[in-house]
Amino acid sequence: MDRFDPASIDIRSGHFIGGELIDAGASRIDVSRPSDGVTYASVPLADDAMIDYAVQNAWSAFKKSDWARRAPRERARVLRKFADLVAADALSLAPLEALGSTRPVRDASNWDVPFTAESIRFYAELADKIGGDVAATDHRHLGMTIAEPYGVIGAIAPWNFPLVMGIWKTAPALAAGNAVVLKPSEMTPFSALRLAELALDAGVPPGIFNVVQGDGSTTGDALVRHPRIGKVTFTGSTRTGAAIMAACAETGTKPVTLELGGKSPQIVFADAPRIDEVARRIAGSIAANAGQVCVAGSRLLVQRAIADELIERIVQAFSELKAGPTWAAGTTLPPIISEPQAQRIDAIVQRSIASGATLRCGGERADAATPGAFYSPTLLSDVTQESDAVRNEIFGPVLTVQSFDSEEEALELAAHPEYGLAAGVHTADIGRALRMVRGIEAGTVWVNRYGRTSDFVIPTGGYKRSGIGKDLGRQAYEANLRFKSVLIDIEG
Ligand code: NAD
């Protein structure tokens, strides 16, 4: 699907608790479309009482339904059906996702929806693979660890990939036998509701997959602090992650998985094969979703000999992008999520220029057919490690470029004082690539590529202030289990 009429989308609003859509509550939040700023719907804001209702409901479904106790292969069968329903729903799920987010509908239907379905399948396949261990004890004892679900997982997702981020939190939790209460971002609340409905249709018992709507300070905070929440899994900004970690410590030492911000370097050596392809990848990694990607390759570090040539090609690739609404065919530069966020991006760019950076392209709003907050892909050179644009996560299509001569210098520039989410290395020399992999402090390093494949077995997650724990892979599944040690005296 490459286009749709925004007026044709039917919005169902509310919380999804105990298998029912509940559109109740005194306060509501307006929801607008980033592509044109039009307010198209509203959601109720879950207060403490609604969160208590949702979590108690999830707890009771966890205890009373057989979701956690049934044969894991039976849980897997239901989850595979859930994945099939998601894939089959692409024609309504993709435009629903695109309407209120920054995801062009072509990307939502070619990537977000199938990726969501496949993430569910990956965790369905793990459902009967990890049950615990038998310990090597002496013959008078039998020792073992038994893997058990936590009960209710509190999941909080950001707005940049609403479906994919939501399911990365939810699918491993469900496969491990937990109930989930998911809070999507208040800016992109609707596709999560559809996911929960499809899960119910597939046979996930009512109350096992719940969605609550609301903001961070009331709804998110109440969810994290609820005493019946066994574990919290969060994707979003580093600042919110720190607040959630503190709340988890204050209310029960709850374990947390945190997928947070980044400021990821892309290091290009002069021997990198196919420089035009490298330029295309680098431009793509910062322009995709208009730079609103946690692993956006926002800091280009290039060996001096090829700096001018590479910059020229990236500027050319940027100029070929087409700003437009998420529902139009041919959109390759979607809007910024909100007007304040576009203003923040511009302020960082202008401050960096005022403190000495050279603007190679962009640095201004982009024209599009609709009045959303579009921002031109921007390239800044003559920056230092202290420049605003180099230090701060911008979450927009802004690339900084710095040159280096040696591997040591590249590693020094690559190191960020706070973040360590991802990095890219482009070189034809395998020894050099591996020295860089060892030297870079980041949770993911891509070599001669940038971005994920569909190898769900490879986890994603940050070092340093970019996070704790992993999404995807076996690791995310295990993080939804706790391990009980059992020691049996078998001699009576
Ligand atoms: P955000 O931190 O503002 O909000 C994320 C979610 O947390 C939202 O649902 C919000 O309502 C909720 N929230 C806010 N305050 C809360 C609180 N005190 N308690 C509980 N919940 C609260 O982030 P955002 O603007 O939605 O997303 C952008 C950020 O997410 C960027 O920093 C980006 O790098 C990061 N991100 C990271 C990854 C990753 O895998 N590491 C992936 C996507 C996005």
Side-chain angles (χ1 to χ4, degrees):
M1 176 185 265
D2 71 350
R3 76 194 74 187
F4 65 97
D5 173 3
S8 69
I9 309 297
D10 193 25
I11 300 293
R12 283 156 53 75
S13 182
H15 313 294
F16 195 80
I17 300 172
E20 284 171 14
L21 194 66
I22 302 173
D23 195 6
S27 355
R28 297 191 75 84
I29 304 178
D30 283 340
V31 189
S32 49
R33 312 192 295 222
S35 292
D36 61 5
V38 168
T39 298
Y40 68 102
S42 68
V43 282
L45 181 144
D47 58 8
D48 285 5
M50 186 61 83
I51 289 295
D52 187 51
Y53 178 69
V55 177
Q56 296 294 2
N57 212 293
W59 174 253
S60 136
F62 173 72
K63 294 302 272 183
K64 290 185 188 147
S65 80
D66 67 342
W67 184 245
R69 280 167 304 178
R70 69 175 68 173
R73 293 200 66 75
E74 173 56 20
R75 236 178 8 247
R77 190 190 62 74
V78 171
L79 290 175
R80 282 196 301 273
K81 178 144 186 237
F82 176 25
D84 291 346
L85 293 183
V86 168
D89 201 50
L91 285 181
S92 66
L93 208 41
L96 181 66
E97 180 76 332
L99 182 73
S101 77
T102 58
R103 306 292 301 136
V105 70
R106 187 175 35 93
D107 296 344
S109 59
N110 290 344
W111 189 79
D112 303 58
V113 173
F115 213 75
T116 297
E118 205 54 27
S119 302
I120 301 168
R121 287 195 189 102
F122 176 78
Y123 284 106
E125 287 156 12
L126 277 182
D128 65 349
K129 304 296 184 292
I130 298 162
D133 283 316
V134 172
T137 59
D138 66 52
H139 279 210
R140 290 170 297 138
H141 301 100
L142 180 62
M144 57 189 153
T145 53
I146 304 175
E148 296 182 333
Y150 278 95
V152 185
I153 303 289
I156 299 183
W159 49 263
N160 61 339
F161 294 84
L163 270 178
V164 172
M165 295 296 109
I167 209 65
W168 283 7
K169 312 263 124 202
T170 307
L174 292 177
N178 295 283
V180 176
V181 179
L182 168 66
K183 191 198 89 61
S185 167
E186 57 275 37
M187 290 189 265
T188 52
F190 298 116
S191 54
L193 280 182
R194 185 75 192 125
L195 272 187
E197 282 177 346
L198 292 171
L200 187 73
D201 292 349
V204 174
I208 292 293
F209 182 178
N210 308 276
V211 175
V212 290
Q213 307 290 1
D215 64 3
S217 56
T218 303
T219 308
D221 189 60
L223 178 60
V224 166
R225 289 177 184 276
H226 195 286
R228 271 280 175 231
I229 291 291
K231 183 220 152 102
V232 171
T233 174
F234 168 77
T235 299
S237 62
T238 294
R239 180 203 290 244
T240 307
I244 286 177
M245 199 170 170
C248 286
E250 283 165 19
T251 58
T253 333
K254 294 166 190 145
V256 279
T257 296
L258 303 173
E259 298 294 341
L260 310 177
K263 191 71 197 174
S264 302
Q266 300 231 43
I267 307 167
V268 185
F269 286 91
D271 66 356
R274 294 176 295 135
I275 196 77
D276 50 340
E277 172 61 21
V278 173
R280 201 188 53 75
R281 258 185 248 141
I282 287 170
S285 83
I286 186 68
N289 208 27
Q292 299 162 115
V293 181
C294 55
V295 293
S298 53
R299 292 190 294 138
L300 170 61
L301 309 177
V302 53
Q303 206 160 22
R304 208 169 305 278
I306 58 162
D308 289 340
E309 185 188 356
L310 187 62
I311 289 171
E312 198 178 303
R313 288 176 195 237
I314 292 170
V315 169
Q316 174 60 32
F318 279 171
S319 73
E320 290 162 13
L321 294 166
K322 186 167 179 293
T326 53
W327 47 79
T331 292
T332 45
L333 183 70
I336 303 303
I337 186 73
S338 66
E339 178 56 34
Q341 173 60 7
Q343 286 175 11
R344 178 180 168 272
I345 293 169
D346 192 53
I348 295 177
V349 169
Q350 302 313 330
R351 271 204 303 277
S352 300
I353 294 170
S355 63
T358 303
L359 182 68
R360 298 298 189 105
C361 66
E364 60 187 4
R365 298 302 178 97
D367 288 332
T370 48
F374 296 88
Y375 203 82
S376 293
T378 299
L379 203 156
L380 295 169
S381 62
D382 304 308
V383 288
T384 68
Q385 293 294 78
E386 279 67 49
S387 298
D388 216 343
V390 172
R391 281 192 78 108
N392 293 311
E393 184 185 49
I394 299 177
F395 230 54
V398 180
L399 179 67
T400 59
V401 54
Q402 293 168 274
S403 296
F404 65 85
D405 293 303
S406 64
E407 284 181 25
E408 294 68 32
E409 204 185 339
L411 280 176
E412 256 170 51
L413 291 172
H416 190 281
E418 292 178 25
Y419 296 122
L421 191 55
V425 178
H426 308 263
T427 175
D429 180 337
I430 183 69
R432 165 179 279 163
L434 292 174
R435 286 191 293 278
M436 300 307 285
V437 166
R438 284 228 170 107
I440 292 169
E441 223 186 328
T444 294
V445 183
W446 287 298
V447 177
N448 292 329
R449 63 168 293 107
Y450 200 85
R452 298 196 58 79
T453 56
S454 50
D455 298 302
F456 295 90
V457 71
I458 300 175
T460 177
Y463 280 14
K464 306 199 286 190
R465 299 198 72 196
S466 289
I468 297 174
K470 301 286 184 186
D471 274 344
L472 294 182
R474 199 190 67 240
Q475 287 86 343
Y477 180 76
E478 285 184 355
N480 282 283
L481 290 167
R482 47 191 177 171
F483 292 84
K484 180 177 283 171
S485 297
V486 181
L487 186 58
I488 304 165
D489 194 333
I490 58 178
E491 295 211 326

